[in-house]
Amino acid sequence: MQSRWNDADAANFAGPLAERAYTSRLLGQDHSLVLHGGGNTSVKIRERDIFGDEQDILYIKGSGWDLETIEPAGFAPVRLDHVLRLARLNSLSDTEMVQHLRAALKNPSAPTPSVETILHALLPYRFVDHTHADALLAITNTPDGARRVREIYGDSVVVVPYIMPGFDLARAVAQQFPAESTPRTTGLVLMNHGFFSFGETAREAYERMIDLVARAEDFLSKSATYALGTPRPAQFNRATVASLRHSISQVAGFPLIASTHDGQKALAFAQRTNIRDISQQGPATPDHVIRTKRVPMLGTDVLTFKSEYERYFAEHAAGKQLTMLDPAPRVILDPHLGLLTLGRTAQEAAIAFDVYNHTIDIVLLATALGGYKALSPAEIFAVEYWDLEQAKLRRGGAPPDFAGEITLITGAASGIGKATADALLRRGAAVVGFDINPRVHEVFGNRADFLGLEVDLRSADAVEAGLDACVKQFGGLDMLVLNAGIFPASRRVEALQLDEWRRVMDINLDANLVLMSAAYPLLKCAPRYGRVVVIGSKNVPAPGPGAAAYSAAKAALNQLARVAALEWGADGIRVNVVHPNAVFDTGIWTDEVLSSRAASYGLSVEEYRKNNVLKVEVTSRDVAEMVAEMCGPTFSRTTAAQVPVDGGNERVI
Ligand code: ZN
C-alpha cells in the first residue's frame, strides 16, 4: 500500500474542507480500502455563524456520496457541541440518532450525516478517516484475529471488539479510547469492520491510514500465502444460466439480473475443494452483507435455500415487526460456471461482483492464516434487518416497470432501435443492442445496464455468440425487439434484380427467423413471460409502389410473427407487431430515399412528412414508446396485435 498523495494535485485543494475532499478521494480510488459508498471521512472546522458567533462544525461524509468522487458539498455540516451531547445520552435508537443528527445540521438541505458521525465527533482530532481495508478484514476475520492485531500494532492502535455501527459502537469507543490511547496511537481497529486513523492535517490522517494498512499487508505477505492454481475451463451454457435465473427470480418474487464471471480467479475459487466451508460463513464486514450460495447447477438447491432462509428469518425475527427481505441469493458459486452475481438492476449485480471479488481475497488470506471466521449469523441478521434499512424499505416506492428484465434490440445504434433502447432503459430494463455498426458499443456511453454488440444478423454464428454474451452479462432474455432492416432505393418490379431481392429478404426476413428460433428457449425462461415486438411497416397493410422487396419481406415477417404468436402462446410468450409509417429520423431515410418516395406519391418532401390523417410527424420516439408499452402490463392480455403508429393512414383505416 503506497500513499497516493501528490503535492501538485493537493495544491488545487485549498482550505480544510477542500483538503478533506482531496484525501477522501485518494482513499476512494483504492477499492481494497473502500467499496461503493463505503467508508467515511470528516474534518472539524471552527467557523462563525450568521450572528458572528464562533462554533465548531463537524463536516462528515453525507449519505449518497462516494469517497472516490466526493466534493465539499458531499460533507454534511453538523454542530459539534450538539453531537457531543448526543454522545452522552444513555441510549439512542438508530432512527432517533439519524433524526437528531439531521436536526443538528447547519444547513438543512445538506445530505444526511453518516451513522458513524458520533464516533468521528468523539475522536479528538481535526481529520478522521475510516476505511474497511481488505488486509485488516483478512486478519480480523480469523479465530485469533484480536491477538494478531495487537502483535502487529502494539499500542499504536486501540482495538474495539465488534459492535454494529451506530450509537452503541460510538459509546464503546467513547469509553475505551481515552482509557487505552497513548501518545503513540495513530488509529483505531474495529474488529471485523475496519480502521479509523486521525491527524491534525488531511495528509497526516491519510498517511497514517496508509501506514496502518501497509503494516497489515506486510504481515499478510509474510504469514499468509496461497495459490489459486489453474482452474478447469468454464462450461458456460446459456440455457442453464437462463433457467437458473428463472429459479432464483421465482425465489425472489421478481426478476433479477444475473451476471456470470468466469475469469481465472472466480473459477478457481468456485472449484476449490473446501469451497462449501469457506463460502458459507458470511460477509467480511457488515458493509458487505450479501447472501452467498454454492449451487452445483440448478434450481432445486435454490428453492431449498429459500426454505432455509425463511426458517432462519422466523427464528431471528420472533416478536419483532420486521419486513422479510427477499430470500434470493445475490452470489452463486458454481464449479462449471464460476461466479454469478445477482441484483435487481445491472448496477446492483456489478456491485455484488465488486464486493465478492474482494471477499474472495479476504477469505483466501484468512484461510491461509488458519481459518476464515466471519461474524455470527445473529450479527449479520442485525445488520441486514437494521432499523434504518427497514425504514428505507417502508419508504421505498415501486421499482421501475422493467427492473431486473433484459431486452435485446436489433439495429440499436440508431433510429427506432436506439429510441426503443432508450425507452426501455428509462423503464429500468437492461438492454443488449445488436447492430452491424461497431459504434453500437458507445451509443449510450459507459453504463452497467447497456451492452452494445457488433453483430451481423446474417451470420447464425454471430447471432449465437451475441446471445451468449447477452446471457453472460445479464442472465437471460425477457423481451426481443426485431427492428433491424434495410430500405433499398425505389425500384419497379420489372427492374428488380434477384440479388437485390435476396439481400433484402436476408436481412429483413431470414435473419429474424434465425434470431427468433435461437432466442425461443431463453424467452421461455423469462420470469414474467417472454415478449416479442416486431417492427413491421405500414407497407404490410398498404404497400407502396417501388418497394416490392421491402413490402414482401415485411409482410412475410408479419406472417411469421402471427404464426409464432400461435405456437408460443402456450409458453406465455406474446408476439405483437407495430406498423410505423413515415418515421423520418431513422438511418434508412436518407435524403435520396425521402425525395424519391415523396416523388412516387407526387408530393413535396414536407407534404410527405405529415401525409397522414392527423397531419402529425411520427418520430422514432413515438414508435419506441409503443414498443415499450407492448412489453408492459397494458398489453399483458394481447398477442398477435398489429398496431399502426402512422398518424392515421387512409389506406390502412
Ligand atoms: Zn464502517
Side-chain angles (χ1 to χ4, degrees):
M1 175 87 17
Q2 297 283 324
S3 168
R4 294 170 186 242
W5 178 276
N6 174 304
D7 284 332
D9 290 345
N12 296 321
F13 296 83
L17 190 56
E19 286 165 14
R20 177 66 288 176
Y22 171 62
T23 57
S24 301
R25 289 185 204 173
L26 298 183
L27 294 172
Q29 283 161 16
D30 191 330
H31 286 197
S32 74
L33 293 177
V34 290
L35 277 173
H36 303 288
N40 43 57
T41 56
S42 69
V43 56
K44 300 175 184 85
I45 303 176
R46 172 150 285 212
E47 317 180 317
R48 283 187 194 281
D49 65 12
I50 193 168
F51 307 110
D53 297 333
E54 284 209 320
Q55 56 179 357
D56 288 315
I57 301 293
L58 172 71
Y59 283 85
I60 178 141
K61 193 194 90 162
S63 74
W65 286 82
D66 196 311
L67 288 185
E68 192 168 358
T69 49
I70 198 161
E71 290 168 25
F75 291 91
V78 208
R79 293 187 181 85
L80 185 61
D81 59 345
H82 194 113
V83 182
L84 291 172
R85 284 192 71 188
L86 288 178
R88 290 196 290 274
L89 293 172
N90 281 327
S91 73
L92 197 60
S93 77
D94 290 327
T95 313
E96 287 170 327
M97 180 179 76
V98 171
Q99 274 169 9
H100 287 287
L101 290 176
R102 279 213 64 89
L105 280 171
K106 191 184 115 182
N107 168 5
S109 60
T112 298
S114 156
V115 294
E116 276 151 352
T117 299
I118 298 179
L119 210 164
H120 281 255
L122 286 167
L123 293 170
Y125 303 87
R126 282 189 84 202
F127 288 85
V128 176
D129 293 16
H130 169 49
T131 70
H132 308 138
D134 289 356
L136 178 68
L137 294 170
I139 295 166
T140 60
N141 287 350
T142 57
D144 222 5
R147 185 189 57 77
R148 289 199 174 97
V149 167
R150 292 205 174 86
E151 183 186 311
I152 301 167
Y153 296 106
D155 65 355
S156 54
V157 298
V158 171
V159 183
V160 181
Y162 177 77
I163 299 175
M164 194 174 135
F167 186 73
D168 294 343
L169 173 61
R171 291 264 305 172
V173 172
Q175 285 170 5
Q176 238 188 294
F177 188 77
E180 296 178 21
S181 67
T182 72
R184 285 179 299 278
T185 302
T186 59
L188 198 64
V189 167
L190 306 183
M191 291 298 291
N192 307 83
H193 179 161
F195 280 121
F196 275 80
S197 68
F198 28 72
E200 283 312 302
T201 64
R203 182 172 187 172
E204 184 178 45
Y206 169 73
E207 290 192 332
R208 282 175 169 179
M209 175 64 73
I210 299 305
D211 175 63
L212 291 172
V213 178
R215 285 156 77 180
E217 287 178 345
D218 283 351
F219 171 80
L220 287 171
S221 68
K222 285 181 205 119
S223 325
T225 49
Y226 65 86
L228 264 172
T230 309
R232 297 185 298 281
Q235 294 167 35
F236 178 80
N237 177 299
R238 64 174 189 255
T240 306
V241 171
S243 125
L244 183 56
R245 167 179 174 255
H246 176 86
S247 305
I248 301 164
S249 298
Q250 294 293 108
V251 166
F254 45 77
L256 284 163
I257 299 292
S259 304
T260 304
H261 306 271
D262 55 8
Q264 298 270 305
K265 177 176 162 187
L267 211 50
F269 186 71
Q271 289 173 5
R272 280 178 79 94
T273 47
N274 62 346
I275 189 69
R276 191 169 284 278
D277 298 330
I278 62 177
S279 70
Q280 299 301 301
Q281 295 205 25
T285 164
D287 235 44
H288 293 183
V289 169
I290 192 167
R291 279 159 264 157
T292 313
K293 177 72 184 162
R294 181 178 187 264
V295 186
M297 296 274 193
L298 284 190
T300 48
D301 253 40
V302 176
L303 295 165
T304 318
F305 180 72
K306 180 181 181 181
S307 59
E308 279 168 29
Y309 186 90
E310 283 170 345
R311 195 173 51 243
Y312 178 76
F313 175 81
E315 267 170 35
H316 283 77
K320 297 177 203 142
Q321 287 217 318
L322 297 177
T323 308
M324 195 175 96
L325 303 172
D326 75 85
R330 294 299 191 268
V331 173
I332 290 184
L333 294 160
D334 179 277
H336 307 287
L337 297 169
L339 166 66
L340 273 75
T341 58
L342 298 105
R344 194 74 210 261
T345 61
Q347 177 71 12
E348 272 182 31
I351 290 175
F353 173 68
D354 222 357
V355 168
Y356 204 72
N357 197 26
H358 284 273
T359 303
I360 291 176
D361 297 331
I362 294 164
V363 167
L364 290 173
L365 286 166
T367 305
L369 270 184
Y372 176 70
K373 182 171 174 287
L375 296 169
S376 73
E379 281 158 337
I380 293 162
F381 183 86
V383 172
E384 204 170 10
Y385 283 89
W386 197 12
D387 287 0
L388 298 174
E389 291 299 325
Q390 287 274 308
K392 224 189 276 172
L393 222 55
R394 284 190 293 272
R395 276 199 311 273
D401 294 1
F402 296 134
E405 295 199 284
I406 303 131
T407 311
L408 170 57
I409 301 168
T410 63
S414 61
I416 291 173
K418 186 179 171 196
T420 303
D422 183 53
L424 286 155
L425 287 168
R426 276 190 284 107
R427 285 164 169 83
V431 174
V432 177
F434 283 5
D435 207 294
I436 196 151
N437 181 348
R439 300 190 58 145
V440 67
H441 300 289
E442 61 196 42
V443 282
F444 290 101
N446 183 18
R447 50 190 287 176
D449 53 0
F450 180 78
L451 175 67
L453 297 170
E454 183 185 350
V455 173
D456 182 345
L457 292 168
R458 292 166 301 183
S459 152
D461 288 347
V463 168
E464 288 288 317
L467 285 174
D468 277 350
C470 166
V471 176
K472 208 168 203 184
Q473 187 85 5
F474 298 128
L477 180 61
D478 302 278
M479 295 167 268
L480 173 63
V481 181
L482 300 174
N483 162 70
I486 52 169
F487 195 99
S490 199
R491 191 106 51 217
R492 286 174 58 89
V493 171
E494 65 272 24
L496 184 56
Q497 298 296 309
L498 191 56
D499 57 349
E500 181 167 347
W501 169 271
R502 283 185 177 146
R503 188 170 65 89
V504 175
M505 288 293 162
D506 260 2
I507 296 170
N508 291 9
L509 178 61
D510 297 5
N512 290 306
L513 171 70
V514 171
L515 179 54
M516 283 172 81
S517 152
Y520 169 69
L522 302 176
L523 293 167
K524 226 172 111 172
C525 283
R528 289 195 174 147
Y529 302 108
R531 282 137 283 169
V532 179
V533 179
V534 173
I535 308 299
S537 167
K538 179 227 66 172
N539 277 29
V540 173
Y550 180 82
S551 303
K554 286 288 188 184
L557 175 61
N558 193 62
Q559 206 69 350
L560 172 62
R562 295 174 72 194
V563 175
L566 286 171
E567 292 182 358
W568 295 355
D571 301 309
I573 302 172
R574 300 187 276 113
V575 185
N576 290 298
V577 181
V578 283
H579 289 317
N581 188 37
V583 180
F584 299 117
D585 58 345
T586 72
I588 59 174
W589 286 97
T590 59
D591 288 348
E592 186 206 345
V593 174
L594 191 56
S595 45
S596 104
R597 295 306 303 158
S600 73
Y601 284 92
L603 296 171
S604 74
V605 168
E606 186 53 27
E607 286 167 334
Y608 185 61
R609 272 181 190 282
K610 296 184 179 173
N611 186 24
N612 54 49
V613 172
L614 299 173
K615 298 284 173 230
V616 290
E617 243 183 88
V618 181
T619 65
S620 300
R621 168 123 196 221
D622 299 318
V623 181
E625 291 296 313
M626 177 59 77
V627 173
E629 286 306 308
M630 281 181 154
C631 292
T634 309
F635 277 75
S636 67
R637 300 296 181 269
T638 303
T639 192
Q642 299 178 47
V643 178
V645 184
D646 58 4
N649 183 291
E650 281 171 15
R651 290 179 55 215
V652 174
I653 293 168

